[in-house]
Amino acid sequence: QYLTTGSPDVAYPLAGSIIASLLWPDSMSCRRAIRLGHRLAELTQANGDYDTLLGRHLFHAAVFSLVQEPKWLVGLEWDMLALARDLYCVKTLGVSSTALMYSMAQHTNNLMHQQPHLAQQPHLLAASLPPLPPL
């Protein structure tokens, strides 16, 4: 936790390395970067200083790699999709995706905590994607 919230001089290069590793054409590096991306989102979800870093850059890298469908991503698509989903839920809705699914299964409406900052970057990026052609 110290590496991510202790000092921005350490956290931003670390997050930049994670983002670069998501796009590096090596499946092992990508797999580890996905895990680190989940952990980074967990640790910094309440900190508004990381909205641009997580909501724009990390989310964009995850969506970009899914849309491009590179050969080295074979077998990691669901993990990458889970990372994009978690980032979207945490930064746009203010709750983790697991809490969202649990509350939907329990039919409760008390999951939306009032967050002082909710990033709009993931929502804007998802809205800007072109529509899928009909089958």
Side-chain angles (χ1 to χ4, degrees):
Q1 187 172 4
Y2 171 75
L3 291 175
T4 56
T5 59
S7 172
D9 296 335
V10 176
Y12 276 75
L14 176 66
S17 299
I18 293 170
I19 293 167
S21 297
L22 280 178
L23 300 173
W24 188 256
D26 177 40
S27 60
M28 184 60 75
S29 299
C30 185
R31 177 175 284 120
R32 290 187 176 138
I34 289 171
R35 288 183 186 164
L36 289 172
H38 280 290
R39 188 69 178 143
L40 185 66
E42 265 178 34
L43 293 173
T44 60
Q45 71 180 4
N47 193 342
D49 296 336
Y50 296 93
D51 285 348
T52 302
L53 190 64
L54 295 177
R56 181 178 296 158
H57 300 298
L58 188 58
F59 183 74
H60 185 268
V63 170
F64 178 80
S65 64
L66 282 170
V67 171
Q68 293 297 315
E69 297 181 22
K71 291 181 182 178
W72 52 266
L73 193 65
V74 172
L76 297 175
E77 297 95 344
W78 290 106
D79 296 332
M80 189 69 77
L81 185 62
L83 176 62
R85 180 197 63 206
D86 288 346
L87 290 170
Y88 186 85
C89 288
V90 164
K91 288 297 159 192
T92 304
L93 302 175
V95 296
S96 68
S97 61
T98 54
L100 181 65
M101 288 186 289
Y102 178 76
S103 80
M104 290 173 77
Q106 299 297 319
H107 302 291
T108 59
N109 293 327
N110 58 356
L111 68 108
M112 293 304 207
H113 306 292
Q114 293 296 328
Q115 296 285 336
H117 61 278
L118 291 176
Q120 292 300 314
Q121 291 97 353
H123 177 70
L124 295 174
L125 177 67
S128 71
L129 291 173
L132 293 173
L135 295 174

